[in-house]
Amino acid sequence: AVAYFLGARLFRQRVEQARDGGGTAQEKAAVYRSASILQWGMLEGASLFSAVCFMLVGNLSFLFLAMALMIFFYISGPSKLKLMLLLRLSEEEIAAL
């Protein structure tokens, strides 16, 4: 849970900096890409840790937590619409990417 919230917070901070900092659409997309990778790494690490804990202990709570984190990992996937909304890019800028 800590990794999920920490990853989401770091992602949000980096996206806000890119959105408000100016720059070209390519620069903003690069910052979005690196922030996404950071968030996914946090989710993946927590999910793997939960899966290993399930294998060692056998408590189903760890398995359910790992599955929930994998669902969040799937939901946080990139799309052009998310990129456009989060970075406030125009359709022309998205088309140029």
Side-chain angles (χ1 to χ4, degrees), residues 6 27 30 41 64 67 80 91:
L6 182 62
E27 292 170 349
F64 293 133
M67 290 180 357
K80 286 187 178 183
E91 291 185 21

Side-chain angles (χ1 to χ4, degrees), residues 67-82:
M67 290 180 357
L69 288 169
M70 287 183 213
I71 291 169
F72 287 134
F73 185 81
Y74 177 74
I75 290 170
S76 68
S79 70
K80 286 187 178 183
L81 181 62
K82 280 185 186 178

Side-chain angles (χ1 to χ4, degrees), residues 25-97:
Q26 285 81 13
E27 292 170 349
K28 290 179 181 182
V31 171
Y32 177 81
R33 186 178 312 120
S34 68
S36 294
I37 290 171
L38 177 68
Q39 181 184 27
W40 297 332
M42 299 287 281
L43 284 172
E44 182 181 10
S47 179
L48 288 174
F49 178 75
S50 296
V52 168
C53 287
F54 168 71
M55 289 181 207
L56 293 175
V57 178
N59 189 346
L60 286 176
S61 299
F62 289 116
L63 180 63
F64 293 133
L65 180 61
M67 290 180 357
L69 288 169
M70 287 183 213
I71 291 169
F72 287 134
F73 185 81
Y74 177 74
I75 290 170
S76 68
S79 70
K80 286 187 178 183
L81 181 62
K82 280 185 186 178
L83 183 68
M84 189 170 87
L85 293 174
L86 289 174
L87 296 178
R88 296 183 185 148
L89 298 175
S90 66
E91 291 185 21
E92 294 83 24
E93 290 173 321
I94 290 293
L97 292 175

Side-chain angles (χ1 to χ4, degrees), residues 11-23:
F11 175 78
R12 187 174 52 250
Q13 285 177 347
R14 289 188 180 204
V15 167
E16 286 174 359
Q17 288 174 351
R19 179 180 58 217
D20 299 335

